[in-house]
Amino acid sequence: MNKISPQGDANGNAAAGSKALPGGEALIALVAILGPPPRTPGAQACVTQTNRTGFLCDDRSSCIPASRVCDGVRTCARGEDEEEALCRAVPQSLPGFLVAHCGDPASWIYSDQVCDGINNCGDCSDELSPGTTCPPCGPGWWRCPSTVFRYCSCIPRSLCRDRVQHCSDWSDEYSCPGPD
């Protein structure tokens, strides 16, 4: 007994009054009628040239810094870094690898802003919290208890010996060797 389907019977014969389309043509017909299927968000992480977390563009070769996603500027060639699905409810709509949470649960920053020497969270939790394992000050930085809100435990050496206190112990003026 053969089971009849709208396209034809179980043996592949066309049903009366219908025209069977070969497999590929059926898909093309559906796309022509319904349009292409929506792209599924498949954001992937990558490592930028500065060794920070990034967002891999659809071309699979461009890696943009996490903080350049949903910033209002189309950085990827096809603009996928500004797609509505990705940017509609930031930070909830962003993939987890792009987001870092601050000490204040209501605050967040982009993951490439952790351990960058700047007080992005406002409470230094992105630089000093037990959850972050930031390396010691880099070669262009001086470690000291900073008096400048923008920095946490290191200041740029360009601020040393400029006759302005940036460290609470004044080491930026008396101990720091100055800019590189």
Side-chain angles (χ1 to χ4, degrees):
M1 179 168 148
N2 289 337
K3 183 176 177 182
I4 304 293
S5 67
Q7 289 286 56
D9 64 20
N11 296 322
N13 299 319
S18 71
K19 180 179 176 186
L21 296 173
E25 290 180 36
L27 180 59
I28 292 170
L30 279 173
V31 169
I33 295 167
L34 302 173
R39 283 195 305 169
T40 55
Q44 291 188 348
C46 57
V47 178
T48 66
Q49 291 179 347
T50 58
N51 205 27
R52 299 265 176 197
T53 301
F55 175 86
L56 186 63
C57 296
D58 285 351
D59 66 9
R60 300 290 184 230
S61 63
S62 301
C63 181
I64 65 169
S67 53
R68 303 274 306 267
V69 175
C70 299
D71 65 350
V73 178
R74 294 172 69 131
T75 307
C76 292
R78 297 182 191 141
E80 57 271 21
D81 57 309
E82 300 298 323
E83 286 183 349
E84 186 201 344
L86 189 64
C87 303
R88 75 172 158 257
V90 173
Q92 293 81 9
S93 59
L94 293 173
F97 67 86
L98 293 176
V99 177
H101 296 282
C102 297
D104 174 359
S107 298
W108 68 278
I109 59 172
Y110 285 99
S111 55
D112 64 336
Q113 296 173 319
V114 174
C115 297
D116 65 354
I118 307 295
N119 181 13
N120 298 294
C121 284
D123 61 1
C124 289
S125 61
D126 55 314
E127 303 297 318
L128 301 175
S129 77
T132 57
T133 53
C134 299
C137 300
W141 296 80
W142 176 254
R143 179 173 294 285
C144 72
S146 177
T147 61
V148 181
F149 178 77
R150 183 173 182 195
Y151 306 108
C152 297
S153 62
C154 302
I155 63 165
R157 285 181 56 175
S158 61
L159 298 178
C160 291
R161 300 199 181 257
D162 65 353
R163 300 180 185 179
V164 177
Q165 180 186 15
H166 301 288
C167 299
S168 60
D169 62 3
W170 286 88
S171 64
D172 60 312
E173 296 306 312
Y174 299 109
S175 302
C176 179
D180 292 334

